[in-house]
Amino acid sequence: MHLPEEVTICEVGPRDGLQNERVNVPTAGKIRLIEALAEAGIRVMEATSFVSPKWIPNLADAEDTLAGVRRREGVTYAALVPNLKGLERAVAAKVDEVVIFMSASESHNQKNINKSIAQALETYREVVARAKDAGLRLKAALSTCFGCPYEGDVNPSVVVRISEALIAMGVDEVGISDTTGMANPRQVHAMVSQVAERIPLENLSLHFHDTRGAGLANVLAGLEAGVTVYDGSVGGLGGCPYAKGATGNIATEDLVHMLHEMGVETGVDLLKLIECAKLAQDLVGRPLDARVSKVGPVNHRCSGAVHG
Ligand code: HMG
Ligand code: MG
């Protein structure tokens, strides 16, 4: 197998996870989780969203959350932004990275951000230009790339076209996302290969949900196709409120455990990460589905933090 030596983990639990929980975690709890994740060696994290509080009430405290976090040097604190208003809020809150987001299917895009694909690209052109002026790194999360819960199959050429448009605008990274866990490993390999014909692999990341149990198999396909950046959600928190059945991002601790066992380094301390998953479970007040937190790692070799 040809696997990379090292992979970057982007933790999305505080944003993707908590946005969808029935329980609205108090701001102080969110801050504790974000700080604990940084302490566990997470170096890139979606901390919150600057979206409409009417659409996502759980993240209405985005300003207070970021203001309360003791920032750790070397950690990129990112936030989702759907428009210029969101960007203004994110800049004022001193984020390091802005994540714009849209879908590869019209129906999901409309339900999630109330815009067509063309309108979203138009909106983001200005957001990206202004974010660049503000010196921010930019990621674009592209949902429903492997299938849409409303429309079914999504043509890979649409994913390629939107990804190219986003990169041409100045986005640093496109996150190819499987919003409702519809992808399979062969499809992932084919999709990455097709997108990589037009966009350098270094600009791609992958975001999987474990809805149908194929999450980590899809990571493996992504690794073999050469992608080195993966999203994970601590404890497996999360989903998308505008995609029915979008339960369960892949759990960061399951992802890190598999990578370490295969000799792929992440810089994350697995045992500390498992403590974060326990904290996440306490905060949401329900048992989470992640595996490694329940049974522990195969051995302690894989718990070591490689990069501090
Ligand atoms: P809209 O209703 O079309 O927007 O929503 P609008 O411009 O007409 O504004 C409506 C109201 O929202 C106004 O307030 C605005 O001021 C306010 P009012 O005048 O009624 O009092 N507003 C805002 N407030 C604060 N911050 C803002 C903001 N923008 C407008 N930034 C909008 C359009 C995009 C705003 C809305 O649809 C929205 O916020 N959507 C967010 C949906 C979301 O966060 N979904 C989850 C994230 S995506 C995801 O999870 C998938 C991902 O993980 C990858 C994957 O798994 O696939 C990324
Ligand atoms: Mg997601």
Side-chain angles (χ1 to χ4, degrees):
M1 287 178 99
H2 296 285
L3 301 176
E5 284 178 11
E6 205 175 322
V7 151
T8 299
I9 304 292
C10 172
E11 171 59 50
V12 301
R15 189 282 301 172
D16 198 345
L18 298 184
Q19 74 185 7
N20 203 28
E21 285 295 327
R22 281 184 206 289
V23 173
N24 190 356
V25 173
T27 311
K30 292 174 182 165
I31 294 168
R32 267 179 70 204
L33 182 61
I34 292 168
E35 290 183 349
L37 287 162
E39 166 64 27
I42 293 291
R43 290 293 164 261
V44 186
M45 184 171 1
E46 288 181 8
T48 188
S49 293
F50 291 97
V51 297
S52 164
K54 286 182 192 144
W55 286 62
I56 307 285
N58 280 4
L59 300 181
D61 59 353
E63 277 84 357
D64 290 343
T65 302
L66 275 171
V69 171
R70 264 173 292 134
R71 307 275 178 110
R72 213 183 165 91
E73 194 157 343
V75 177
T76 297
Y77 296 90
L80 262 64
V81 157
N83 52 22
L84 281 174
K85 181 166 185 164
L87 180 66
E88 275 169 29
R89 294 175 60 204
V91 169
K94 298 192 169 41
V95 301
D96 304 302
E97 176 178 297
V98 156
V99 183
I100 57 172
F101 58 102
M102 60 183 288
S103 313
S105 61
E106 289 289 353
S107 320
H108 186 265
N109 204 54
Q110 200 70 48
K111 288 210 190 308
N112 198 29
I113 56 173
N114 204 20
K115 289 182 182 66
S116 66
I117 289 175
Q119 286 167 335
L121 286 171
E122 207 41 53
T123 301
Y124 287 139
R125 202 173 305 285
E126 200 172 348
V127 173
V128 170
R130 293 214 199 165
K132 287 271 150 200
D133 286 348
L136 296 173
R137 188 176 189 275
L138 266 145
K139 171 175 173 177
L142 187 54
S143 292
T144 61
C145 291
F146 300 95
C148 169
Y150 307 105
E151 295 177 20
D153 290 348
V154 169
N155 191 330
S157 67
V158 176
V159 177
V160 175
R161 178 177 64 77
I162 298 174
S163 302
E164 274 188 292
L166 291 163
I167 292 285
M169 260 179 221
V171 162
D172 301 292
E173 174 186 336
V174 177
I176 307 285
S177 305
D178 181 26
T179 313
T180 55
M182 293 168 83
N184 66 67
R186 175 173 269 185
Q187 190 188 11
V188 170
H189 199 282
M191 177 72 80
V192 171
S193 307
Q194 206 167 326
V195 178
E197 282 171 18
R198 312 301 294 249
I199 291 170
L201 271 173
E202 307 83 79
N203 298 114
L204 295 182
S205 63
L206 290 168
H207 174 112
F208 293 121
H209 285 238
D210 203 26
T211 324
R212 294 173 176 83
L216 289 187
N218 289 331
V219 170
L220 194 56
L223 289 168
E224 293 213 75
V227 177
T228 59
V229 185
Y230 293 85
D231 291 353
S233 178
V234 67
L237 283 170
C240 175
Y242 300 103
K244 190 166 171 284
T247 48
N249 285 69
I250 53 170
T252 316
E253 63 271 32
D254 294 352
L255 171 64
V256 166
H257 180 264
M258 182 183 84
L259 291 169
H260 288 190
E261 281 295 296
M262 295 194 301
V264 179
E265 300 302 347
T266 66
V268 177
D269 183 322
L270 182 60
L271 295 184
K272 286 187 179 171
L273 188 60
I274 290 172
E275 290 307 310
C276 295
K278 290 181 182 154
L279 171 61
Q281 186 163 276
D282 288 347
L283 290 172
V284 297
R286 66 175 180 91
L288 296 175
D289 291 331
R291 275 52 161 225
V292 172
S293 303
K294 284 188 197 136
V295 297
V298 170
N299 64 56
H300 284 249
R301 164 172 66 80
C302 59
S303 70
V306 174
H307 306 289

